[in-house]
Amino acid sequence: MEIKAKFDIIYMADAIDFLDSLPEKARDKIAFNISKSRYFVDKDLFKKLNENIWEFRTRFQNTTYRLLAFWDNGSGSLVVATHGFIKKTQKTPANELSKAETLRKQYFTTKQNQNN
C-alpha cells in the first residue's frame, strides 16, 4: 500500500538561501523532518502559528531551526516555505512572522499577476 503525501512543498528564495547557509548535516535533518511531516501529522515538526503561517521545526545538535511556511490551497495541497532562522527563544519573534506574512502576500500577488 502506497501512502500519499499530504502536501507538496516549494521553497522561496529566502528559504533556499537559509538552507544553503547551514551545515550539510543540519540541512539533511531538516529535509528529513519536512519529508516526514508530508506523510504524518506531527505537531513537533509542523505546526500552525497563526491564521496564515506555519512552521517546520527541527532540533539538531542543540540548535533549533525554523522554516516558516504557508498553504497555497489554490494549487492543490501546496506548502510554500518563506524563509528560515535559528530560534533562540521559546516564542517566535514578531519580525519573523511579519516577514513570512510579507513574503506570503508577495507570492499571491505575483501568482495573481501571472494568471492575468
Side-chain angles (χ1 to χ4, degrees):
M1 178 176 104
E2 185 178 337
I3 298 173
K4 187 172 176 352
K6 296 179 186 333
F7 59 85
D8 290 322
I9 185 164
I10 61 173
Y11 300 85
M12 295 182 87
D14 286 4
I16 292 168
D17 290 346
F18 171 72
L19 292 169
D20 284 347
S21 75
L22 300 176
E24 183 179 358
K25 289 186 178 193
R27 268 196 320 266
D28 290 347
K29 177 72 177 200
I30 292 167
F32 173 81
N33 283 348
I34 289 172
S35 178
K36 184 177 170 184
S37 68
R38 291 181 60 222
Y39 293 92
F40 304 101
V41 175
D42 185 339
K43 290 188 186 339
D44 287 336
L45 298 180
F46 187 51
K47 87 174 202 184
K48 189 172 188 174
L49 296 179
N50 66 24
E51 184 180 333
N52 298 317
I53 305 301
W54 291 64
E55 75 173 350
F56 290 101
R57 302 172 350 158
T58 298
R59 187 157 175 77
F60 179 70
Q61 293 183 339
N62 294 324
T63 302
T64 304
Y65 300 94
R66 298 290 194 249
L67 206 58
L68 298 188
F70 61 88
W71 288 86
D72 178 354
N73 291 322
S75 296
S77 294
L78 179 66
V79 172
V80 181
T82 60
H83 71 291
F85 60 98
I86 295 174
K87 191 166 176 186
K88 296 180 169 74
T89 62
Q90 193 64 22
K91 192 169 174 154
T92 302
N95 65 320
E96 299 295 351
L97 281 172
S98 177
K99 180 175 181 177
E101 291 281 5
T102 299
L103 290 168
R104 178 181 176 275
K105 286 176 187 153
Q106 289 173 358
Y107 170 87
F108 284 115
T109 299
T110 301
K111 184 178 176 180
Q112 183 177 11
N113 291 340
Q114 288 173 347
N115 292 335
N116 290 338

PDB file of all heavy atoms in Angstrom, residues 9-22 67-68 70 79-85 99 103-104 106-107 110:
ATOM      1  N   ILE A   9       5.773  20.656  -1.432  1.00  0.00           N
ATOM      2  CA  ILE A   9       6.415  21.841  -0.868  1.00  0.00           C
ATOM      3  C   ILE A   9       7.310  22.510  -1.911  1.00  0.00           C
ATOM      4  O   ILE A   9       7.956  21.816  -2.707  1.00  0.00           O
ATOM      5  CB  ILE A   9       7.217  21.508   0.417  1.00  0.00           C
ATOM      6  CG1 ILE A   9       7.779  22.788   1.044  1.00  0.00           C
ATOM      7  CG2 ILE A   9       8.282  20.479   0.157  1.00  0.00           C
ATOM      8  CD1 ILE A   9       8.237  22.636   2.471  1.00  0.00           C
ATOM      9  N   ILE A  10       7.277  23.830  -1.914  1.00  0.00           N
ATOM     10  CA  ILE A  10       8.224  24.610  -2.710  1.00  0.00           C
ATOM     11  C   ILE A  10       8.899  25.605  -1.765  1.00  0.00           C
ATOM     12  O   ILE A  10       8.362  25.923  -0.700  1.00  0.00           O
ATOM     13  CB  ILE A  10       7.567  25.325  -3.907  1.00  0.00           C
ATOM     14  CG1 ILE A  10       6.491  26.317  -3.448  1.00  0.00           C
ATOM     15  CG2 ILE A  10       7.028  24.323  -4.913  1.00  0.00           C
ATOM     16  CD1 ILE A  10       5.934  27.177  -4.579  1.00  0.00           C
ATOM     17  N   TYR A  11      10.066  26.069  -2.171  1.00  0.00           N
ATOM     18  CA  TYR A  11      10.860  26.964  -1.335  1.00  0.00           C
ATOM     19  C   TYR A  11      11.061  28.294  -2.038  1.00  0.00           C
ATOM     20  O   TYR A  11      11.521  28.326  -3.182  1.00  0.00           O
ATOM     21  CB  TYR A  11      12.225  26.334  -1.041  1.00  0.00           C
ATOM     22  CG  TYR A  11      12.126  25.011  -0.328  1.00  0.00           C
ATOM     23  CD1 TYR A  11      11.952  23.827  -1.035  1.00  0.00           C
ATOM     24  CD2 TYR A  11      12.185  24.940   1.052  1.00  0.00           C
ATOM     25  CE1 TYR A  11      11.850  22.607  -0.375  1.00  0.00           C
ATOM     26  CE2 TYR A  11      12.088  23.730   1.720  1.00  0.00           C
ATOM     27  CZ  TYR A  11      11.916  22.566   1.002  1.00  0.00           C
ATOM     28  OH  TYR A  11      11.807  21.374   1.655  1.00  0.00           O
ATOM     29  N   MET A  12      10.752  29.388  -1.348  1.00  0.00           N
ATOM     30  CA  MET A  12      11.047  30.716  -1.860  1.00  0.00           C
ATOM     31  C   MET A  12      12.559  30.952  -1.742  1.00  0.00           C
ATOM     32  O   MET A  12      13.258  30.216  -1.037  1.00  0.00           O
ATOM     33  CB  MET A  12      10.256  31.767  -1.080  1.00  0.00           C
ATOM     34  CG  MET A  12       8.747  31.625  -1.269  1.00  0.00           C
ATOM     35  SD  MET A  12       7.787  32.883  -0.412  1.00  0.00           S
ATOM     36  CE  MET A  12       7.799  34.169  -1.667  1.00  0.00           C
ATOM     37  N   ALA A  13      13.046  31.983  -2.416  1.00  0.00           N
ATOM     38  CA  ALA A  13      14.495  32.258  -2.456  1.00  0.00           C
ATOM     39  C   ALA A  13      15.097  32.403  -1.057  1.00  0.00           C
ATOM     40  O   ALA A  13      16.189  31.877  -0.790  1.00  0.00           O
ATOM     41  CB  ALA A  13      14.766  33.509  -3.279  1.00  0.00           C
ATOM     42  N   ASP A  14      14.404  33.098  -0.144  1.00  0.00           N
ATOM     43  CA  ASP A  14      14.943  33.289   1.213  1.00  0.00           C
ATOM     44  C   ASP A  14      15.084  31.963   1.950  1.00  0.00           C
ATOM     45  O   ASP A  14      16.022  31.767   2.732  1.00  0.00           O
ATOM     46  CB  ASP A  14      14.065  34.240   2.031  1.00  0.00           C
ATOM     47  CG  ASP A  14      14.221  35.696   1.605  1.00  0.00           C
ATOM     48  OD1 ASP A  14      14.946  35.969   0.628  1.00  0.00           O
ATOM     49  OD2 ASP A  14      13.609  36.564   2.254  1.00  0.00           O
ATOM     50  N   ALA A  15      14.164  31.028   1.713  1.00  0.00           N
ATOM     51  CA  ALA A  15      14.249  29.712   2.356  1.00  0.00           C
ATOM     52  C   ALA A  15      15.436  28.936   1.808  1.00  0.00           C
ATOM     53  O   ALA A  15      16.187  28.304   2.569  1.00  0.00           O
ATOM     54  CB  ALA A  15      12.951  28.936   2.142  1.00  0.00           C
ATOM     55  N   ILE A  16      15.635  29.015   0.500  1.00  0.00           N
ATOM     56  CA  ILE A  16      16.778  28.324  -0.119  1.00  0.00           C
ATOM     57  C   ILE A  16      18.087  28.913   0.389  1.00  0.00           C
ATOM     58  O   ILE A  16      19.018  28.174   0.734  1.00  0.00           O
ATOM     59  CB  ILE A  16      16.685  28.397  -1.658  1.00  0.00           C
ATOM     60  CG1 ILE A  16      15.488  27.558  -2.135  1.00  0.00           C
ATOM     61  CG2 ILE A  16      17.981  27.938  -2.316  1.00  0.00           C
ATOM     62  CD1 ILE A  16      15.118  27.762  -3.590  1.00  0.00           C
ATOM     63  N   ASP A  17      18.160  30.240   0.467  1.00  0.00           N
ATOM     64  CA  ASP A  17      19.378  30.894   0.975  1.00  0.00           C
ATOM     65  C   ASP A  17      19.677  30.451   2.402  1.00  0.00           C
ATOM     66  O   ASP A  17      20.827  30.192   2.756  1.00  0.00           O
ATOM     67  CB  ASP A  17      19.241  32.415   0.926  1.00  0.00           C
ATOM     68  CG  ASP A  17      19.245  32.960  -0.498  1.00  0.00           C
ATOM     69  OD1 ASP A  17      19.621  32.218  -1.437  1.00  0.00           O
ATOM     70  OD2 ASP A  17      18.859  34.135  -0.670  1.00  0.00           O
ATOM     71  N   PHE A  18      18.634  30.380   3.240  1.00  0.00           N
ATOM     72  CA  PHE A  18      18.819  29.946   4.622  1.00  0.00           C
ATOM     73  C   PHE A  18      19.358  28.512   4.659  1.00  0.00           C
ATOM     74  O   PHE A  18      20.341  28.231   5.346  1.00  0.00           O
ATOM     75  CB  PHE A  18      17.500  30.041   5.396  1.00  0.00           C
ATOM     76  CG  PHE A  18      17.562  29.418   6.767  1.00  0.00           C
ATOM     77  CD1 PHE A  18      18.269  30.034   7.787  1.00  0.00           C
ATOM     78  CD2 PHE A  18      16.913  28.227   7.039  1.00  0.00           C
ATOM     79  CE1 PHE A  18      18.344  29.462   9.049  1.00  0.00           C
ATOM     80  CE2 PHE A  18      16.977  27.650   8.292  1.00  0.00           C
ATOM     81  CZ  PHE A  18      17.694  28.271   9.307  1.00  0.00           C
ATOM     82  N   LEU A  19      18.717  27.620   3.927  1.00  0.00           N
ATOM     83  CA  LEU A  19      19.147  26.215   3.929  1.00  0.00           C
ATOM     84  C   LEU A  19      20.570  26.072   3.390  1.00  0.00           C
ATOM     85  O   LEU A  19      21.363  25.303   3.933  1.00  0.00           O
ATOM     86  CB  LEU A  19      18.169  25.361   3.125  1.00  0.00           C
ATOM     87  CG  LEU A  19      16.783  25.215   3.747  1.00  0.00           C
ATOM     88  CD1 LEU A  19      15.810  24.593   2.763  1.00  0.00           C
ATOM     89  CD2 LEU A  19      16.841  24.419   5.040  1.00  0.00           C
ATOM     90  N   ASP A  20      20.890  26.838   2.350  1.00  0.00           N
ATOM     91  CA  ASP A  20      22.245  26.780   1.782  1.00  0.00           C
ATOM     92  C   ASP A  20      23.312  27.272   2.759  1.00  0.00           C
ATOM     93  O   ASP A  20      24.471  26.895   2.647  1.00  0.00           O
ATOM     94  CB  ASP A  20      22.331  27.619   0.496  1.00  0.00           C
ATOM     95  CG  ASP A  20      21.670  26.933  -0.692  1.00  0.00           C
ATOM     96  OD1 ASP A  20      21.352  25.729  -0.608  1.00  0.00           O
ATOM     97  OD2 ASP A  20      21.457  27.627  -1.713  1.00  0.00           O
ATOM     98  N   SER A  21      22.916  28.102   3.723  1.00  0.00           N
ATOM     99  CA  SER A  21      23.875  28.653   4.683  1.00  0.00           C
ATOM    100  C   SER A  21      24.194  27.682   5.823  1.00  0.00           C
ATOM    101  O   SER A  21      25.115  27.924   6.602  1.00  0.00           O
ATOM    102  CB  SER A  21      23.339  29.958   5.279  1.00  0.00           C
ATOM    103  OG  SER A  21      22.307  29.697   6.223  1.00  0.00           O
ATOM    104  N   LEU A  22      23.449  26.591   5.910  1.00  0.00           N
ATOM    105  CA  LEU A  22      23.593  25.659   7.038  1.00  0.00           C
ATOM    106  C   LEU A  22      24.585  24.541   6.735  1.00  0.00           C
ATOM    107  O   LEU A  22      24.805  24.203   5.569  1.00  0.00           O
ATOM    108  CB  LEU A  22      22.233  25.039   7.366  1.00  0.00           C
ATOM    109  CG  LEU A  22      21.126  26.008   7.753  1.00  0.00           C
ATOM    110  CD1 LEU A  22      19.818  25.250   7.957  1.00  0.00           C
ATOM    111  CD2 LEU A  22      21.499  26.797   8.999  1.00  0.00           C
ATOM    112  N   LEU A  67      11.653  26.941   9.846  1.00  0.00           N
ATOM    113  CA  LEU A  67      11.366  27.315   8.467  1.00  0.00           C
ATOM    114  C   LEU A  67       9.889  27.678   8.442  1.00  0.00           C
ATOM    115  O   LEU A  67       9.041  26.841   8.727  1.00  0.00           O
ATOM    116  CB  LEU A  67      11.654  26.123   7.553  1.00  0.00           C
ATOM    117  CG  LEU A  67      12.006  26.372   6.106  1.00  0.00           C
ATOM    118  CD1 LEU A  67      13.242  27.253   5.992  1.00  0.00           C
ATOM    119  CD2 LEU A  67      12.247  25.067   5.385  1.00  0.00           C
ATOM    120  N   LEU A  68       9.588  28.942   8.183  1.00  0.00           N
ATOM    121  CA  LEU A  68       8.194  29.380   8.164  1.00  0.00           C
ATOM    122  C   LEU A  68       7.592  29.125   6.791  1.00  0.00           C
ATOM    123  O   LEU A  68       8.297  29.123   5.777  1.00  0.00           O
ATOM    124  CB  LEU A  68       8.090  30.850   8.558  1.00  0.00           C
ATOM    125  CG  LEU A  68       8.583  31.184   9.969  1.00  0.00           C
ATOM    126  CD1 LEU A  68       8.256  32.636  10.317  1.00  0.00           C
ATOM    127  CD2 LEU A  68       8.009  30.255  11.015  1.00  0.00           C
ATOM    128  N   PHE A  70       3.477  28.732   4.449  1.00  0.00           N
ATOM    129  CA  PHE A  70       2.030  28.933   4.363  1.00  0.00           C
ATOM    130  C   PHE A  70       1.469  27.972   3.321  1.00  0.00           C
ATOM    131  O   PHE A  70       2.212  27.391   2.524  1.00  0.00           O
ATOM    132  CB  PHE A  70       1.688  30.391   4.008  1.00  0.00           C
ATOM    133  CG  PHE A  70       2.232  30.845   2.685  1.00  0.00           C
ATOM    134  CD1 PHE A  70       1.511  30.667   1.520  1.00  0.00           C
ATOM    135  CD2 PHE A  70       3.474  31.457   2.611  1.00  0.00           C
ATOM    136  CE1 PHE A  70       2.016  31.069   0.292  1.00  0.00           C
ATOM    137  CE2 PHE A  70       3.993  31.881   1.390  1.00  0.00           C
ATOM    138  CZ  PHE A  70       3.257  31.677   0.232  1.00  0.00           C
ATOM    139  N   VAL A  79       2.501  23.610   0.120  1.00  0.00           N
ATOM    140  CA  VAL A  79       3.057  24.423   1.200  1.00  0.00           C
ATOM    141  C   VAL A  79       4.240  25.188   0.615  1.00  0.00           C
ATOM    142  O   VAL A  79       5.084  24.621  -0.084  1.00  0.00           O
ATOM    143  CB  VAL A  79       3.496  23.549   2.394  1.00  0.00           C
ATOM    144  CG1 VAL A  79       4.259  24.366   3.422  1.00  0.00           C
ATOM    145  CG2 VAL A  79       2.277  22.886   3.037  1.00  0.00           C
ATOM    146  N   VAL A  80       4.281  26.484   0.906  1.00  0.00           N
ATOM    147  CA  VAL A  80       5.344  27.351   0.400  1.00  0.00           C
ATOM    148  C   VAL A  80       6.194  27.791   1.593  1.00  0.00           C
ATOM    149  O   VAL A  80       5.709  28.482   2.482  1.00  0.00           O
ATOM    150  CB  VAL A  80       4.758  28.582  -0.320  1.00  0.00           C
ATOM    151  CG1 VAL A  80       5.879  29.469  -0.861  1.00  0.00           C
ATOM    152  CG2 VAL A  80       3.806  28.154  -1.441  1.00  0.00           C
ATOM    153  N   ALA A  81       7.458  27.382   1.609  1.00  0.00           N
ATOM    154  CA  ALA A  81       8.382  27.791   2.672  1.00  0.00           C
ATOM    155  C   ALA A  81       8.923  29.175   2.338  1.00  0.00           C
ATOM    156  O   ALA A  81       9.449  29.391   1.250  1.00  0.00           O
ATOM    157  CB  ALA A  81       9.518  26.787   2.810  1.00  0.00           C
ATOM    158  N   THR A  82       8.754  30.116   3.269  1.00  0.00           N
ATOM    159  CA  THR A  82       9.145  31.503   3.001  1.00  0.00           C
ATOM    160  C   THR A  82      10.597  31.778   3.333  1.00  0.00           C
ATOM    161  O   THR A  82      11.338  32.316   2.526  1.00  0.00           O
ATOM    162  CB  THR A  82       8.262  32.482   3.799  1.00  0.00           C
ATOM    163  OG1 THR A  82       8.414  32.221   5.196  1.00  0.00           O
ATOM    164  CG2 THR A  82       6.818  32.375   3.384  1.00  0.00           C
ATOM    165  N   HIS A  83      11.005  31.435   4.545  1.00  0.00           N
ATOM    166  CA  HIS A  83      12.365  31.723   4.995  1.00  0.00           C
ATOM    167  C   HIS A  83      12.621  30.933   6.276  1.00  0.00           C
ATOM    168  O   HIS A  83      11.712  30.331   6.832  1.00  0.00           O
ATOM    169  CB  HIS A  83      12.561  33.217   5.237  1.00  0.00           C
ATOM    170  CG  HIS A  83      11.845  33.738   6.447  1.00  0.00           C
ATOM    171  ND1 HIS A  83      10.474  33.837   6.526  1.00  0.00           N
ATOM    172  CD2 HIS A  83      12.320  34.173   7.639  1.00  0.00           C
ATOM    173  CE1 HIS A  83      10.133  34.322   7.712  1.00  0.00           C
ATOM    174  NE2 HIS A  83      11.240  34.531   8.402  1.00  0.00           N
ATOM    175  N   GLY A  84      13.857  30.961   6.718  1.00  0.00           N
ATOM    176  CA  GLY A  84      14.201  30.236   7.931  1.00  0.00           C
ATOM    177  C   GLY A  84      15.051  31.082   8.852  1.00  0.00           C
ATOM    178  O   GLY A  84      15.567  32.125   8.465  1.00  0.00           O
ATOM    179  N   PHE A  85      15.170  30.593  10.080  1.00  0.00           N
ATOM    180  CA  PHE A  85      16.022  31.252  11.062  1.00  0.00           C
ATOM    181  C   PHE A  85      16.347  30.260  12.168  1.00  0.00           C
ATOM    182  O   PHE A  85      15.701  29.219  12.289  1.00  0.00           O
ATOM    183  CB  PHE A  85      15.351  32.510  11.630  1.00  0.00           C
ATOM    184  CG  PHE A  85      14.041  32.271  12.334  1.00  0.00           C
ATOM    185  CD1 PHE A  85      13.985  32.171  13.711  1.00  0.00           C
ATOM    186  CD2 PHE A  85      12.863  32.139  11.604  1.00  0.00           C
ATOM    187  CE1 PHE A  85      12.780  31.943  14.353  1.00  0.00           C
ATOM    188  CE2 PHE A  85      11.656  31.921  12.239  1.00  0.00           C
ATOM    189  CZ  PHE A  85      11.617  31.821  13.619  1.00  0.00           C
ATOM    190  N   LYS A  99       7.764  38.965   8.461  1.00  0.00           N
ATOM    191  CA  LYS A  99       8.470  38.683   7.208  1.00  0.00           C
ATOM    192  C   LYS A  99       7.748  37.581   6.431  1.00  0.00           C
ATOM    193  O   LYS A  99       7.571  37.682   5.210  1.00  0.00           O
ATOM    194  CB  LYS A  99       9.919  38.274   7.494  1.00  0.00           C
ATOM    195  CG  LYS A  99      10.717  37.975   6.241  1.00  0.00           C
ATOM    196  CD  LYS A  99      12.168  37.686   6.563  1.00  0.00           C
ATOM    197  CE  LYS A  99      12.950  37.414   5.293  1.00  0.00           C
ATOM    198  NZ  LYS A  99      14.374  37.200   5.548  1.00  0.00           N
ATOM    199  N   LEU A 103       6.143  37.941   2.685  1.00  0.00           N
ATOM    200  CA  LEU A 103       6.504  37.044   1.589  1.00  0.00           C
ATOM    201  C   LEU A 103       5.274  36.306   1.057  1.00  0.00           C
ATOM    202  O   LEU A 103       5.150  36.077  -0.156  1.00  0.00           O
ATOM    203  CB  LEU A 103       7.588  36.060   2.040  1.00  0.00           C
ATOM    204  CG  LEU A 103       8.963  36.690   2.270  1.00  0.00           C
ATOM    205  CD1 LEU A 103       9.899  35.716   2.981  1.00  0.00           C
ATOM    206  CD2 LEU A 103       9.575  37.163   0.960  1.00  0.00           C
ATOM    207  N   ARG A 104       4.347  35.976   1.936  1.00  0.00           N
ATOM    208  CA  ARG A 104       3.098  35.324   1.522  1.00  0.00           C
ATOM    209  C   ARG A 104       2.306  36.249   0.597  1.00  0.00           C
ATOM    210  O   ARG A 104       1.831  35.838  -0.459  1.00  0.00           O
ATOM    211  CB  ARG A 104       2.271  34.943   2.760  1.00  0.00           C
ATOM    212  CG  ARG A 104       0.946  34.315   2.454  1.00  0.00           C
ATOM    213  CD  ARG A 104       0.183  33.981   3.764  1.00  0.00           C
ATOM    214  NE  ARG A 104      -1.116  33.460   3.440  1.00  0.00           N
ATOM    215  CZ  ARG A 104      -2.200  34.195   3.187  1.00  0.00           C
ATOM    216  NH1 ARG A 104      -2.136  35.513   3.248  1.00  0.00           N
ATOM    217  NH2 ARG A 104      -3.344  33.625   2.873  1.00  0.00           N
ATOM    218  N   GLN A 106       3.453  38.752  -1.197  1.00  0.00           N
ATOM    219  CA  GLN A 106       4.185  38.883  -2.460  1.00  0.00           C
ATOM    220  C   GLN A 106       3.941  37.676  -3.361  1.00  0.00           C
ATOM    221  O   GLN A 106       3.743  37.821  -4.574  1.00  0.00           O
ATOM    222  CB  GLN A 106       5.688  39.027  -2.195  1.00  0.00           C
ATOM    223  CG  GLN A 106       6.088  40.349  -1.604  1.00  0.00           C
ATOM    224  CD  GLN A 106       7.562  40.389  -1.197  1.00  0.00           C
ATOM    225  OE1 GLN A 106       8.287  39.413  -1.314  1.00  0.00           O
ATOM    226  NE2 GLN A 106       7.994  41.535  -0.702  1.00  0.00           N
ATOM    227  N   TYR A 107       3.946  36.491  -2.766  1.00  0.00           N
ATOM    228  CA  TYR A 107       3.728  35.254  -3.520  1.00  0.00           C
ATOM    229  C   TYR A 107       2.371  35.282  -4.223  1.00  0.00           C
ATOM    230  O   TYR A 107       2.270  35.026  -5.425  1.00  0.00           O
ATOM    231  CB  TYR A 107       3.822  34.055  -2.570  1.00  0.00           C
ATOM    232  CG  TYR A 107       3.381  32.745  -3.185  1.00  0.00           C
ATOM    233  CD1 TYR A 107       4.276  31.949  -3.899  1.00  0.00           C
ATOM    234  CD2 TYR A 107       2.074  32.298  -3.038  1.00  0.00           C
ATOM    235  CE1 TYR A 107       3.871  30.743  -4.458  1.00  0.00           C
ATOM    236  CE2 TYR A 107       1.658  31.095  -3.595  1.00  0.00           C
ATOM    237  CZ  TYR A 107       2.562  30.326  -4.298  1.00  0.00           C
ATOM    238  OH  TYR A 107       2.155  29.134  -4.854  1.00  0.00           O
ATOM    239  N   THR A 110       2.187  37.977  -7.009  1.00  0.00           N
ATOM    240  CA  THR A 110       2.910  37.508  -8.206  1.00  0.00           C
ATOM    241  C   THR A 110       2.096  36.445  -8.929  1.00  0.00           C
ATOM    242  O   THR A 110       1.963  36.472 -10.160  1.00  0.00           O
ATOM    243  CB  THR A 110       4.299  36.960  -7.809  1.00  0.00           C
ATOM    244  OG1 THR A 110       5.033  37.995  -7.164  1.00  0.00           O
ATOM    245  CG2 THR A 110       5.061  36.450  -9.028  1.00  0.00           C
TER     246      THR A 110
END
